[in-house]
Amino acid sequence: MSFERTQEKLKILADAAKYDVSCASSGSKRSNASKGLGDATGMGICHSYTEDGRCVSLLKILLTNYCIFDCAYCVTRKSNDIKRAAFQVQEVVDLTINFYRRNYIEGLFLSSGIFKSADYTMERLVAVAKKLRLEENFNGYIHLKSIPGASDELMKEAGLYADRLSVNIEIPTKEGLKLLAPEKNREDFIKPMVKVKNEIIQYQSERKIIKSTPKFAPAGQSTQMIIGATGESDQQIMWTSNYFYKKFNLKRVYYSGYIPISYDSRLPQIGTDVPMLRENRLYQTDWLMRFYGFEVHEILNNEHQNLDLDVDPKLGWALRNMEHFPIDVNKADKFMVARIPGLGMKSVYKILQARQFRKLNWDHLKRMGVALNRAKYFLVCDSRDFERRDLTSPQLKSIILQNSTSKYQKILSPQLNLFG
Amino acid sequence: MLMSEEHILRYDGTFDGFLTAVFHVFELKLLTVSFQRPERVQESLFGNTIEIITDLEKADRVWKGIKSKTSGTGSYRVYSSFLSEQAGVEVLLLDYLRQAFKSAIPMDSDFSNATVLKVSQIAKSVGREKHRMEAFVRFRLTNDGIYFATVEPDFDVLPLISKHFKSRYADQKWIIYDIKRGYGLYYDLEKVEVMQLSLPEGFDATKTNRDYFTASELEFQTLWQDYFESTNIKSRKNMKLHVQHVPKRYWKYLSEKLR
Ligand code: SF4
């Protein structure tokens, strides 16, 4: 490996890959049984954080940033005047192994511009994963991008070596895709997803019969949408997301605030702010759907097409549905307790456990570290003392907002620190 | 024996030593006790000092007792909060154990109990340090073919991270050395052992010197630093958040921060 050339390529191809937000390396089960290198069991580790506060857990690079397509929202697009580079398969393997051995990373996230054809590109991505697994006996995490339009055979092979596969939908609506990436069609994105989903199901049922069936993409698949490039509503985004979760058993959907990269008149101009707060609200909604038992239409519907920016979506829902409150934390079931604004799932479980020992009062809740500054308006416990004023939603909202200035720091975090 | 007298249990600072001390507390039915580690010895004017000699058998009996009275999480919390080395943690744990031995059902999820809560909070911060070490260890390849890392964790977490590194780096020799506490873990491709190094005169653990490290080591560090820089999105810079995730006291051993 020539150091200077690799260095030059790495700079270009890491730079081009960084807009892809997915950093998750958790959820895989690949243990190191044969005394090889690495494992990917359980929680992925963030080995570092970028200065913008994102988790660095994978070596995230493009195999090449040459591309035959010209999608308007993408830095790699054909018409963009940038430096181009391409890694050789072995170079990516060496970088991954050497970074991994030094405990820099959990594994590799390999994506690529499309050079020559979808299959030609996909073949090379698969070759990297195959080499890592078979020649280097590498058991760390591998995430490959499925190239839209790649053949079923290649997708199948990819799934044998990768922990996770993803296709980025990028643009939440059909109309938006047509506008910004006219050469692409939605079916090309969906086809590899269907293939991967079916293979996962098939492998899982075979595993029940024969224990030694190889794992097929054990961490499942994910996708990403760009937010704020085409004027779509939050309802359109989250309903699309919900559809993909249900229909393709996706593990994660990522939302990425559009970062202006060109003067294309179809797009927000350079200098426009990245919609970070909106992105955060979308992640919060995503969590409410996946862990808190909310249905998407409870939060976003025709009457309420966009999320509030000043309050988080759980508080927003509560303020619109005051008839469900206050909730008795000593009696209510898990999902109702989880609907109390300000309570994270950790607090919910603490409450459920502790209430088996005694009826909980304010003091207990406080000592357990349950944040009450918002929650107190929405719950009752073993005490005669509770919010008696019959406050209207707007009154309550303004009281809460006055008392929560320090929340802003958390709001800016795109990561998990969601419900405080 | 005068029951109300304060007893000072002087032990060797190890977990087994602590468990042995607990054994004596129960056996002698001592009421008011405090604990003293070798590095914190101070003459006390009052109280009766008892020298505890670590006894693995007694320690084991207490540990089995703990395990039978708490859930797996509960006994792990006892061990990891002990490793916090916080002043007074022994007395807190003794209180915890007294209650646990009396309680008919495992009480480790009773967070409305102040002692349980305190122990779980300490265990939680030790757990956070453990995760940080699993994340922030940076190996460098030495001329002897050993991947070598130096750390200075807030708490004594090496015993907790041993398993993780052993199963992950099963095919390379490695050392993780706690500079602050003066001991390390060495994996020789078979097993992990506790070891002490006599570091060479003038050895600066934050520098990668060709006398000790391979030529390619610096190249990979440079590539990693480049990667770290390229992957940053400047328009989203948020140093406050960055420092919250990677507090400055860890920077000196993080290869990506050495520029
Ligand atoms: S095909 Fe992919 S890499 Fe190429 S321009 Fe479109 S989004 Fe970018």
Side-chain angles (χ1 to χ4, degrees), chain A residues 7 18 35 38 47-48 52 54 60 100-101 103 106 358 367 409, chain B residues 112 117 138 168-169 172 189 217 226-227 231-233 244 256:
Chain A
Q7 186 178 28
K18 70 186 171 192
K35 272 211 154 186
H47 285 273
S48 197
D52 55 80
R54 281 169 312 129
K60 192 193 287 182
Y100 194 87
R101 285 197 183 286
N103 205 41
E106 293 289 281
R358 63 183 61 79
R367 267 193 284 153
Q409 178 194 340
Chain B
S112 45
L117 186 67
R138 294 286 178 267
R168 173 162 295 202
Y169 299 108
Q172 71 190 43
L189 300 181
E217 180 52 44
D226 287 346
Y227 175 72
T231 198
N232 184 39
I233 298 178
Q244 196 177 312
E256 64 271 26

PDB file of all heavy atoms in Angstrom, chain A residues 7 18 35 38 47-48 52 54 60 100-101 103 106 358 367 409, chain B residues 112 117 138 168-169 172 189 217 226-227 231-233 244 256:
ATOM      1  N   GLN A   7      -3.452   7.959   1.117  1.00  0.00           N
ATOM      2  CA  GLN A   7      -3.821   9.132   1.901  1.00  0.00           C
ATOM      3  C   GLN A   7      -4.695  10.088   1.088  1.00  0.00           C
ATOM      4  O   GLN A   7      -5.736  10.547   1.541  1.00  0.00           O
ATOM      5  CB  GLN A   7      -2.544   9.847   2.355  1.00  0.00           C
ATOM      6  CG  GLN A   7      -2.808  11.004   3.288  1.00  0.00           C
ATOM      7  CD  GLN A   7      -1.532  11.669   3.752  1.00  0.00           C
ATOM      8  OE1 GLN A   7      -0.518  11.644   3.056  1.00  0.00           O
ATOM      9  NE2 GLN A   7      -1.569  12.260   4.929  1.00  0.00           N
ATOM     10  N   LYS A  18     -19.333  11.336   3.872  1.00  0.00           N
ATOM     11  CA  LYS A  18     -19.728  11.750   5.212  1.00  0.00           C
ATOM     12  C   LYS A  18     -21.170  12.207   5.325  1.00  0.00           C
ATOM     13  O   LYS A  18     -21.718  12.240   6.416  1.00  0.00           O
ATOM     14  CB  LYS A  18     -18.802  12.844   5.717  1.00  0.00           C
ATOM     15  CG  LYS A  18     -18.961  14.174   5.023  1.00  0.00           C
ATOM     16  CD  LYS A  18     -17.885  15.113   5.537  1.00  0.00           C
ATOM     17  CE  LYS A  18     -17.844  16.386   4.741  1.00  0.00           C
ATOM     18  NZ  LYS A  18     -16.656  17.173   5.036  1.00  0.00           N
ATOM     19  N   LYS A  35     -11.277 -17.704  16.931  1.00  0.00           N
ATOM     20  CA  LYS A  35     -10.073 -16.959  17.282  1.00  0.00           C
ATOM     21  C   LYS A  35      -9.578 -16.124  16.121  1.00  0.00           C
ATOM     22  O   LYS A  35      -8.380 -16.009  15.878  1.00  0.00           O
ATOM     23  CB  LYS A  35      -8.964 -17.906  17.764  1.00  0.00           C
ATOM     24  CG  LYS A  35      -9.049 -18.177  19.253  1.00  0.00           C
ATOM     25  CD  LYS A  35      -7.673 -18.410  19.826  1.00  0.00           C
ATOM     26  CE  LYS A  35      -7.617 -18.058  21.284  1.00  0.00           C
ATOM     27  NZ  LYS A  35      -6.266 -18.138  21.824  1.00  0.00           N
ATOM     28  N   GLY A  38     -11.963  -9.850  15.748  1.00  0.00           N
ATOM     29  CA  GLY A  38     -13.147  -9.024  15.912  1.00  0.00           C
ATOM     30  C   GLY A  38     -14.438  -9.752  16.184  1.00  0.00           C
ATOM     31  O   GLY A  38     -14.559 -10.955  15.987  1.00  0.00           O
ATOM     32  N   HIS A  47     -16.395   5.014  18.792  1.00  0.00           N
ATOM     33  CA  HIS A  47     -15.000   5.130  19.197  1.00  0.00           C
ATOM     34  C   HIS A  47     -14.551   6.572  19.318  1.00  0.00           C
ATOM     35  O   HIS A  47     -13.604   6.881  20.004  1.00  0.00           O
ATOM     36  CB  HIS A  47     -14.101   4.356  18.236  1.00  0.00           C
ATOM     37  CG  HIS A  47     -14.203   2.887  18.452  1.00  0.00           C
ATOM     38  ND1 HIS A  47     -13.437   2.227  19.368  1.00  0.00           N
ATOM     39  CD2 HIS A  47     -15.040   1.973  17.930  1.00  0.00           C
ATOM     40  CE1 HIS A  47     -13.772   0.949  19.378  1.00  0.00           C
ATOM     41  NE2 HIS A  47     -14.749   0.775  18.512  1.00  0.00           N
ATOM     42  N   SER A  48     -15.236   7.437  18.593  1.00  0.00           N
ATOM     43  CA  SER A  48     -14.928   8.841  18.746  1.00  0.00           C
ATOM     44  C   SER A  48     -16.150   9.623  18.308  1.00  0.00           C
ATOM     45  O   SER A  48     -17.171   9.025  17.941  1.00  0.00           O
ATOM     46  CB  SER A  48     -13.694   9.212  17.910  1.00  0.00           C
ATOM     47  OG  SER A  48     -13.191  10.449  18.360  1.00  0.00           O
ATOM     48  N   ASP A  52     -18.718  17.869  14.980  1.00  0.00           N
ATOM     49  CA  ASP A  52     -20.129  18.236  14.926  1.00  0.00           C
ATOM     50  C   ASP A  52     -20.957  17.295  15.805  1.00  0.00           C
ATOM     51  O   ASP A  52     -22.184  17.336  15.787  1.00  0.00           O
ATOM     52  CB  ASP A  52     -20.648  18.269  13.484  1.00  0.00           C
ATOM     53  CG  ASP A  52     -20.407  16.975  12.732  1.00  0.00           C
ATOM     54  OD1 ASP A  52     -21.175  16.039  12.934  1.00  0.00           O
ATOM     55  OD2 ASP A  52     -19.448  16.898  11.945  1.00  0.00           O
ATOM     56  N   ARG A  54     -21.157  13.922  15.896  1.00  0.00           N
ATOM     57  CA  ARG A  54     -21.678  12.627  15.447  1.00  0.00           C
ATOM     58  C   ARG A  54     -20.755  11.482  15.853  1.00  0.00           C
ATOM     59  O   ARG A  54     -19.536  11.644  15.914  1.00  0.00           O
ATOM     60  CB  ARG A  54     -21.860  12.609  13.927  1.00  0.00           C
ATOM     61  CG  ARG A  54     -23.116  13.315  13.445  1.00  0.00           C
ATOM     62  CD  ARG A  54     -23.090  13.502  11.945  1.00  0.00           C
ATOM     63  NE  ARG A  54     -21.808  14.060  11.533  1.00  0.00           N
ATOM     64  CZ  ARG A  54     -21.059  13.538  10.564  1.00  0.00           C
ATOM     65  NH1 ARG A  54     -21.456  12.469   9.913  1.00  0.00           N
ATOM     66  NH2 ARG A  54     -19.902  14.105  10.255  1.00  0.00           N
ATOM     67  N   LYS A  60     -16.222   4.984   7.224  1.00  0.00           N
ATOM     68  CA  LYS A  60     -17.284   5.229   6.257  1.00  0.00           C
ATOM     69  C   LYS A  60     -16.697   5.886   5.026  1.00  0.00           C
ATOM     70  O   LYS A  60     -16.286   7.036   5.063  1.00  0.00           O
ATOM     71  CB  LYS A  60     -18.327   6.129   6.905  1.00  0.00           C
ATOM     72  CG  LYS A  60     -19.608   6.219   6.130  1.00  0.00           C
ATOM     73  CD  LYS A  60     -20.465   7.349   6.628  1.00  0.00           C
ATOM     74  CE  LYS A  60     -21.094   7.061   7.977  1.00  0.00           C
ATOM     75  NZ  LYS A  60     -21.962   8.177   8.386  1.00  0.00           N
ATOM     76  N   TYR A 100      -9.124  -1.362  12.459  1.00  0.00           N
ATOM     77  CA  TYR A 100      -9.822  -2.208  13.432  1.00  0.00           C
ATOM     78  C   TYR A 100      -8.868  -2.725  14.504  1.00  0.00           C
ATOM     79  O   TYR A 100      -9.163  -2.671  15.691  1.00  0.00           O
ATOM     80  CB  TYR A 100     -10.495  -3.376  12.709  1.00  0.00           C
ATOM     81  CG  TYR A 100     -11.501  -4.102  13.589  1.00  0.00           C
ATOM     82  CD1 TYR A 100     -12.814  -3.665  13.663  1.00  0.00           C
ATOM     83  CD2 TYR A 100     -11.131  -5.220  14.347  1.00  0.00           C
ATOM     84  CE1 TYR A 100     -13.739  -4.305  14.465  1.00  0.00           C
ATOM     85  CE2 TYR A 100     -12.056  -5.863  15.155  1.00  0.00           C
ATOM     86  CZ  TYR A 100     -13.355  -5.414  15.205  1.00  0.00           C
ATOM     87  OH  TYR A 100     -14.265  -6.052  16.007  1.00  0.00           O
ATOM     88  N   ARG A 101      -7.713  -3.187  14.096  1.00  0.00           N
ATOM     89  CA  ARG A 101      -6.740  -3.726  15.056  1.00  0.00           C
ATOM     90  C   ARG A 101      -6.294  -2.689  16.079  1.00  0.00           C
ATOM     91  O   ARG A 101      -5.849  -3.025  17.166  1.00  0.00           O
ATOM     92  CB  ARG A 101      -5.499  -4.247  14.330  1.00  0.00           C
ATOM     93  CG  ARG A 101      -5.710  -5.566  13.620  1.00  0.00           C
ATOM     94  CD  ARG A 101      -4.400  -6.233  13.284  1.00  0.00           C
ATOM     95  NE  ARG A 101      -4.599  -7.465  12.535  1.00  0.00           N
ATOM     96  CZ  ARG A 101      -5.043  -8.600  13.063  1.00  0.00           C
ATOM     97  NH1 ARG A 101      -5.331  -8.666  14.340  1.00  0.00           N
ATOM     98  NH2 ARG A 101      -5.204  -9.664  12.314  1.00  0.00           N
ATOM     99  N   ASN A 103      -8.270  -0.505  17.356  1.00  0.00           N
ATOM    100  CA  ASN A 103      -9.466  -0.128  18.109  1.00  0.00           C
ATOM    101  C   ASN A 103      -9.977   1.264  17.739  1.00  0.00           C
ATOM    102  O   ASN A 103     -10.519   1.973  18.580  1.00  0.00           O
ATOM    103  CB  ASN A 103      -9.216  -0.210  19.627  1.00  0.00           C
ATOM    104  CG  ASN A 103     -10.515  -0.421  20.418  1.00  0.00           C
ATOM    105  OD1 ASN A 103     -11.376  -1.188  20.014  1.00  0.00           O
ATOM    106  ND2 ASN A 103     -10.660   0.278  21.537  1.00  0.00           N
ATOM    107  N   GLU A 106     -15.475   0.006  14.623  1.00  0.00           N
ATOM    108  CA  GLU A 106     -16.229  -1.234  14.777  1.00  0.00           C
ATOM    109  C   GLU A 106     -16.298  -2.018  13.465  1.00  0.00           C
ATOM    110  O   GLU A 106     -16.689  -3.177  13.464  1.00  0.00           O
ATOM    111  CB  GLU A 106     -17.668  -0.928  15.188  1.00  0.00           C
ATOM    112  CG  GLU A 106     -17.811  -0.343  16.556  1.00  0.00           C
ATOM    113  CD  GLU A 106     -17.514  -1.368  17.632  1.00  0.00           C
ATOM    114  OE1 GLU A 106     -18.391  -2.195  17.911  1.00  0.00           O
ATOM    115  OE2 GLU A 106     -16.402  -1.346  18.183  1.00  0.00           O
ATOM    116  N   ARG A 358     -43.653  -0.525  46.524  1.00  0.00           N
ATOM    117  CA  ARG A 358     -44.508   0.395  47.283  1.00  0.00           C
ATOM    118  C   ARG A 358     -45.148   1.369  46.329  1.00  0.00           C
ATOM    119  O   ARG A 358     -44.727   1.500  45.188  1.00  0.00           O
ATOM    120  CB  ARG A 358     -43.684   1.148  48.327  1.00  0.00           C
ATOM    121  CG  ARG A 358     -42.610   2.047  47.760  1.00  0.00           C
ATOM    122  CD  ARG A 358     -41.801   2.680  48.871  1.00  0.00           C
ATOM    123  NE  ARG A 358     -41.128   1.669  49.695  1.00  0.00           N
ATOM    124  CZ  ARG A 358     -40.002   1.058  49.337  1.00  0.00           C
ATOM    125  NH1 ARG A 358     -39.445   1.338  48.184  1.00  0.00           N
ATOM    126  NH2 ARG A 358     -39.425   0.171  50.127  1.00  0.00           N
ATOM    127  N   ARG A 367     -36.272  10.960  43.809  1.00  0.00           N
ATOM    128  CA  ARG A 367     -35.040  10.259  44.193  1.00  0.00           C
ATOM    129  C   ARG A 367     -34.596   9.275  43.127  1.00  0.00           C
ATOM    130  O   ARG A 367     -33.416   8.986  42.972  1.00  0.00           O
ATOM    131  CB  ARG A 367     -35.248   9.545  45.530  1.00  0.00           C
ATOM    132  CG  ARG A 367     -34.811  10.427  46.692  1.00  0.00           C
ATOM    133  CD  ARG A 367     -34.706   9.627  47.953  1.00  0.00           C
ATOM    134  NE  ARG A 367     -36.031   9.361  48.491  1.00  0.00           N
ATOM    135  CZ  ARG A 367     -36.336   8.303  49.252  1.00  0.00           C
ATOM    136  NH1 ARG A 367     -35.425   7.409  49.526  1.00  0.00           N
ATOM    137  NH2 ARG A 367     -37.542   8.148  49.732  1.00  0.00           N
ATOM    138  N   GLN A 409     -29.654  22.877  24.181  1.00  0.00           N
ATOM    139  CA  GLN A 409     -28.422  22.167  23.931  1.00  0.00           C
ATOM    140  C   GLN A 409     -28.728  20.739  23.458  1.00  0.00           C
ATOM    141  O   GLN A 409     -28.138  20.239  22.515  1.00  0.00           O
ATOM    142  CB  GLN A 409     -27.658  22.161  25.235  1.00  0.00           C
ATOM    143  CG  GLN A 409     -26.380  21.443  25.233  1.00  0.00           C
ATOM    144  CD  GLN A 409     -25.948  21.246  26.675  1.00  0.00           C
ATOM    145  OE1 GLN A 409     -26.399  21.938  27.584  1.00  0.00           O
ATOM    146  NE2 GLN A 409     -25.109  20.271  26.873  1.00  0.00           N
TER     147      GLN A 409
ATOM    148  N   SER B 112     -36.643   3.100  44.884  1.00  0.00           N
ATOM    149  CA  SER B 112     -37.113   4.089  45.848  1.00  0.00           C
ATOM    150  C   SER B 112     -36.364   3.929  47.177  1.00  0.00           C
ATOM    151  O   SER B 112     -36.565   4.692  48.108  1.00  0.00           O
ATOM    152  CB  SER B 112     -38.625   3.982  46.029  1.00  0.00           C
ATOM    153  OG  SER B 112     -39.025   2.643  46.150  1.00  0.00           O
ATOM    154  N   LEU B 117     -30.431   2.984  45.301  1.00  0.00           N
ATOM    155  CA  LEU B 117     -30.299   4.011  44.276  1.00  0.00           C
ATOM    156  C   LEU B 117     -28.857   4.511  44.173  1.00  0.00           C
ATOM    157  O   LEU B 117     -28.277   4.610  43.099  1.00  0.00           O
ATOM    158  CB  LEU B 117     -31.236   5.168  44.584  1.00  0.00           C
ATOM    159  CG  LEU B 117     -31.295   6.229  43.508  1.00  0.00           C
ATOM    160  CD1 LEU B 117     -31.928   5.664  42.251  1.00  0.00           C
ATOM    161  CD2 LEU B 117     -32.085   7.436  43.992  1.00  0.00           C
ATOM    162  N   ARG B 138      -6.583   3.126  22.354  1.00  0.00           N
ATOM    163  CA  ARG B 138      -5.981   3.202  21.019  1.00  0.00           C
ATOM    164  C   ARG B 138      -4.693   2.390  21.039  1.00  0.00           C
ATOM    165  O   ARG B 138      -3.728   2.760  21.719  1.00  0.00           O
ATOM    166  CB  ARG B 138      -5.646   4.653  20.647  1.00  0.00           C
ATOM    167  CG  ARG B 138      -6.839   5.563  20.489  1.00  0.00           C
ATOM    168  CD  ARG B 138      -7.615   5.299  19.203  1.00  0.00           C
ATOM    169  NE  ARG B 138      -8.774   6.167  19.108  1.00  0.00           N
ATOM    170  CZ  ARG B 138     -10.003   5.840  19.532  1.00  0.00           C
ATOM    171  NH1 ARG B 138     -10.238   4.651  20.048  1.00  0.00           N
ATOM    172  NH2 ARG B 138     -10.994   6.701  19.410  1.00  0.00           N
ATOM    173  N   ARG B 168     -12.542  -9.748  21.339  1.00  0.00           N
ATOM    174  CA  ARG B 168     -12.461  -8.996  20.089  1.00  0.00           C
ATOM    175  C   ARG B 168     -11.105  -9.162  19.403  1.00  0.00           C
ATOM    176  O   ARG B 168     -11.034  -9.334  18.199  1.00  0.00           O
ATOM    177  CB  ARG B 168     -12.737  -7.518  20.350  1.00  0.00           C
ATOM    178  CG  ARG B 168     -12.503  -6.671  19.129  1.00  0.00           C
ATOM    179  CD  ARG B 168     -13.150  -5.339  19.228  1.00  0.00           C
ATOM    180  NE  ARG B 168     -14.600  -5.448  19.265  1.00  0.00           N
ATOM    181  CZ  ARG B 168     -15.419  -4.451  18.932  1.00  0.00           C
ATOM    182  NH1 ARG B 168     -14.916  -3.301  18.572  1.00  0.00           N
ATOM    183  NH2 ARG B 168     -16.713  -4.613  18.979  1.00  0.00           N
ATOM    184  N   TYR B 169     -10.031  -9.086  20.168  1.00  0.00           N
ATOM    185  CA  TYR B 169      -8.693  -9.140  19.557  1.00  0.00           C
ATOM    186  C   TYR B 169      -8.006 -10.463  19.885  1.00  0.00           C
ATOM    187  O   TYR B 169      -6.930 -10.501  20.458  1.00  0.00           O
ATOM    188  CB  TYR B 169      -7.859  -7.937  19.995  1.00  0.00           C
ATOM    189  CG  TYR B 169      -8.502  -6.642  19.548  1.00  0.00           C
ATOM    190  CD1 TYR B 169      -9.112  -5.783  20.451  1.00  0.00           C
ATOM    191  CD2 TYR B 169      -8.549  -6.321  18.192  1.00  0.00           C
ATOM    192  CE1 TYR B 169      -9.737  -4.618  20.015  1.00  0.00           C
ATOM    193  CE2 TYR B 169      -9.179  -5.163  17.747  1.00  0.00           C
ATOM    194  CZ  TYR B 169      -9.769  -4.317  18.664  1.00  0.00           C
ATOM    195  OH  TYR B 169     -10.398  -3.181  18.240  1.00  0.00           O
ATOM    196  N   GLN B 172      -4.368 -11.177  18.094  1.00  0.00           N
ATOM    197  CA  GLN B 172      -3.205 -10.289  18.183  1.00  0.00           C
ATOM    198  C   GLN B 172      -2.805 -10.152  19.655  1.00  0.00           C
ATOM    199  O   GLN B 172      -3.662 -10.173  20.530  1.00  0.00           O
ATOM    200  CB  GLN B 172      -3.538  -8.910  17.575  1.00  0.00           C
ATOM    201  CG  GLN B 172      -4.496  -8.056  18.397  1.00  0.00           C
ATOM    202  CD  GLN B 172      -4.982  -6.799  17.644  1.00  0.00           C
ATOM    203  OE1 GLN B 172      -5.321  -6.861  16.459  1.00  0.00           O
ATOM    204  NE2 GLN B 172      -5.035  -5.673  18.340  1.00  0.00           N
ATOM    205  N   LEU B 189      -2.242 -14.258  23.337  1.00  0.00           N
ATOM    206  CA  LEU B 189      -2.911 -15.138  22.379  1.00  0.00           C
ATOM    207  C   LEU B 189      -3.574 -16.322  23.076  1.00  0.00           C
ATOM    208  O   LEU B 189      -4.312 -17.085  22.446  1.00  0.00           O
ATOM    209  CB  LEU B 189      -1.974 -15.650  21.279  1.00  0.00           C
ATOM    210  CG  LEU B 189      -1.293 -14.594  20.392  1.00  0.00           C
ATOM    211  CD1 LEU B 189      -0.415 -15.274  19.332  1.00  0.00           C
ATOM    212  CD2 LEU B 189      -2.314 -13.695  19.696  1.00  0.00           C
ATOM    213  N   GLU B 217       3.243   2.359  11.959  1.00  0.00           N
ATOM    214  CA  GLU B 217       2.357   2.855  13.010  1.00  0.00           C
ATOM    215  C   GLU B 217       2.015   4.325  12.803  1.00  0.00           C
ATOM    216  O   GLU B 217       0.846   4.714  12.839  1.00  0.00           O
ATOM    217  CB  GLU B 217       3.002   2.636  14.383  1.00  0.00           C
ATOM    218  CG  GLU B 217       2.152   3.121  15.545  1.00  0.00           C
ATOM    219  CD  GLU B 217       0.736   2.567  15.519  1.00  0.00           C
ATOM    220  OE1 GLU B 217       0.570   1.363  15.257  1.00  0.00           O
ATOM    221  OE2 GLU B 217      -0.206   3.347  15.737  1.00  0.00           O
ATOM    222  N   ASP B 226      -6.443  11.898   9.305  1.00  0.00           N
ATOM    223  CA  ASP B 226      -7.028  12.444   8.072  1.00  0.00           C
ATOM    224  C   ASP B 226      -8.497  12.067   7.975  1.00  0.00           C
ATOM    225  O   ASP B 226      -9.343  12.882   7.636  1.00  0.00           O
ATOM    226  CB  ASP B 226      -6.332  11.853   6.830  1.00  0.00           C
ATOM    227  CG  ASP B 226      -4.944  12.418   6.640  1.00  0.00           C
ATOM    228  OD1 ASP B 226      -4.634  13.433   7.284  1.00  0.00           O
ATOM    229  OD2 ASP B 226      -4.183  11.834   5.851  1.00  0.00           O
ATOM    230  N   TYR B 227      -8.745  10.805   8.249  1.00  0.00           N
ATOM    231  CA  TYR B 227     -10.125  10.335   8.163  1.00  0.00           C
ATOM    232  C   TYR B 227     -11.018  11.125   9.113  1.00  0.00           C
ATOM    233  O   TYR B 227     -12.085  11.598   8.746  1.00  0.00           O
ATOM    234  CB  TYR B 227     -10.211   8.839   8.488  1.00  0.00           C
ATOM    235  CG  TYR B 227     -11.652   8.377   8.527  1.00  0.00           C
ATOM    236  CD1 TYR B 227     -12.384   8.261   7.349  1.00  0.00           C
ATOM    237  CD2 TYR B 227     -12.285   8.101   9.732  1.00  0.00           C
ATOM    238  CE1 TYR B 227     -13.709   7.892   7.363  1.00  0.00           C
ATOM    239  CE2 TYR B 227     -13.612   7.731   9.760  1.00  0.00           C
ATOM    240  CZ  TYR B 227     -14.325   7.625   8.579  1.00  0.00           C
ATOM    241  OH  TYR B 227     -15.645   7.269   8.612  1.00  0.00           O
ATOM    242  N   THR B 231     -14.182  13.456   7.793  1.00  0.00           N
ATOM    243  CA  THR B 231     -15.537  12.991   8.052  1.00  0.00           C
ATOM    244  C   THR B 231     -16.347  14.032   8.813  1.00  0.00           C
ATOM    245  O   THR B 231     -17.552  13.924   8.960  1.00  0.00           O
ATOM    246  CB  THR B 231     -15.485  11.632   8.800  1.00  0.00           C
ATOM    247  OG1 THR B 231     -16.753  11.011   8.675  1.00  0.00           O
ATOM    248  CG2 THR B 231     -15.145  11.790  10.250  1.00  0.00           C
ATOM    249  N   ASN B 232     -15.673  15.065   9.277  1.00  0.00           N
ATOM    250  CA  ASN B 232     -16.355  16.147   9.989  1.00  0.00           C
ATOM    251  C   ASN B 232     -17.127  17.041   9.009  1.00  0.00           C
ATOM    252  O   ASN B 232     -16.670  17.313   7.918  1.00  0.00           O
ATOM    253  CB  ASN B 232     -15.285  16.963  10.714  1.00  0.00           C
ATOM    254  CG  ASN B 232     -15.878  18.051  11.558  1.00  0.00           C
ATOM    255  OD1 ASN B 232     -16.913  17.847  12.196  1.00  0.00           O
ATOM    256  ND2 ASN B 232     -15.256  19.203  11.559  1.00  0.00           N
ATOM    257  N   ILE B 233     -18.315  17.465   9.411  1.00  0.00           N
ATOM    258  CA  ILE B 233     -19.075  18.395   8.573  1.00  0.00           C
ATOM    259  C   ILE B 233     -19.011  19.771   9.220  1.00  0.00           C
ATOM    260  O   ILE B 233     -19.595  19.998  10.268  1.00  0.00           O
ATOM    261  CB  ILE B 233     -20.543  17.939   8.422  1.00  0.00           C
ATOM    262  CG1 ILE B 233     -20.597  16.570   7.740  1.00  0.00           C
ATOM    263  CG2 ILE B 233     -21.339  18.963   7.610  1.00  0.00           C
ATOM    264  CD1 ILE B 233     -21.989  15.997   7.577  1.00  0.00           C
ATOM    265  N   GLN B 244     -18.693  17.132  25.266  1.00  0.00           N
ATOM    266  CA  GLN B 244     -19.561  16.349  26.141  1.00  0.00           C
ATOM    267  C   GLN B 244     -19.357  14.854  25.885  1.00  0.00           C
ATOM    268  O   GLN B 244     -19.313  14.050  26.796  1.00  0.00           O
ATOM    269  CB  GLN B 244     -20.995  16.754  25.808  1.00  0.00           C
ATOM    270  CG  GLN B 244     -22.041  16.361  26.808  1.00  0.00           C
ATOM    271  CD  GLN B 244     -23.392  16.922  26.323  1.00  0.00           C
ATOM    272  OE1 GLN B 244     -23.507  18.104  25.960  1.00  0.00           O
ATOM    273  NE2 GLN B 244     -24.387  16.077  26.267  1.00  0.00           N
ATOM    274  N   GLU B 256      -6.544  10.386  17.209  1.00  0.00           N
ATOM    275  CA  GLU B 256      -7.143  11.380  16.309  1.00  0.00           C
ATOM    276  C   GLU B 256      -7.038  12.796  16.859  1.00  0.00           C
ATOM    277  O   GLU B 256      -7.262  13.775  16.162  1.00  0.00           O
ATOM    278  CB  GLU B 256      -8.604  11.036  16.010  1.00  0.00           C
ATOM    279  CG  GLU B 256      -9.560  11.069  17.196  1.00  0.00           C
ATOM    280  CD  GLU B 256      -9.646   9.727  17.915  1.00  0.00           C
ATOM    281  OE1 GLU B 256      -8.673   8.954  17.840  1.00  0.00           O
ATOM    282  OE2 GLU B 256     -10.676   9.466  18.550  1.00  0.00           O
TER     283      GLU B 256
END
